Amino acid sequence: RDLETKAQQLLKEIDKQYQLAGVQRDPDKTRILVKFGLSVSKTIQEMVRETNADLIIMGTKGASGLNKLIFGSNTAD
């Protein structure tokens, strides 16, 4: 249930960003998918193959400083 609640909150935020950009969101073409995996980049690649996605938007919040230098970031990967 918690994931569903967070997904709905994210969808509201997405709609807000569309409104700020002055564009209508097509709910048939915009989906929120939740999937668990050990490797973020491999899980994303798997989801792209499964859904035939042509655009993925990710933030860069996460590793910083020495951790980012040593381990990299999921977005960069």
Side-chain angles (χ1 to χ4, degrees):
R1 257 189 285 205
D2 189 44
L3 287 176
E4 180 64 30
T5 300
K6 292 199 182 298
Q8 291 303 320
Q9 290 171 342
L10 180 56
L11 187 55
K12 285 180 185 176
E13 181 60 31
I14 290 169
D15 284 334
K16 178 181 167 186
Q17 294 304 315
Y18 269 87
Q19 285 180 340
L20 289 173
V23 201
Q24 281 272 51
R25 180 181 73 85
D26 183 346
D28 294 329
K29 294 182 179 179
T30 306
R31 295 186 290 162
I32 296 174
L33 303 172
V34 178
K35 187 167 188 171
F36 296 96
L38 296 176
S39 165
V40 172
S41 64
K42 287 182 182 178
T43 303
I44 291 170
Q45 291 171 16
E46 185 179 300
M47 289 178 75
V48 168
R49 283 191 298 274
E50 290 173 3
T51 63
N52 199 29
D54 57 9
L55 175 66
I56 295 176
I57 300 171
M58 292 182 66
T60 58
K61 185 178 178 184
S64 63
L66 188 57
N67 280 339
K68 187 173 184 177
L69 181 63
I70 294 171
F71 299 110
S73 75
N74 292 315
T75 303
D77 194 22

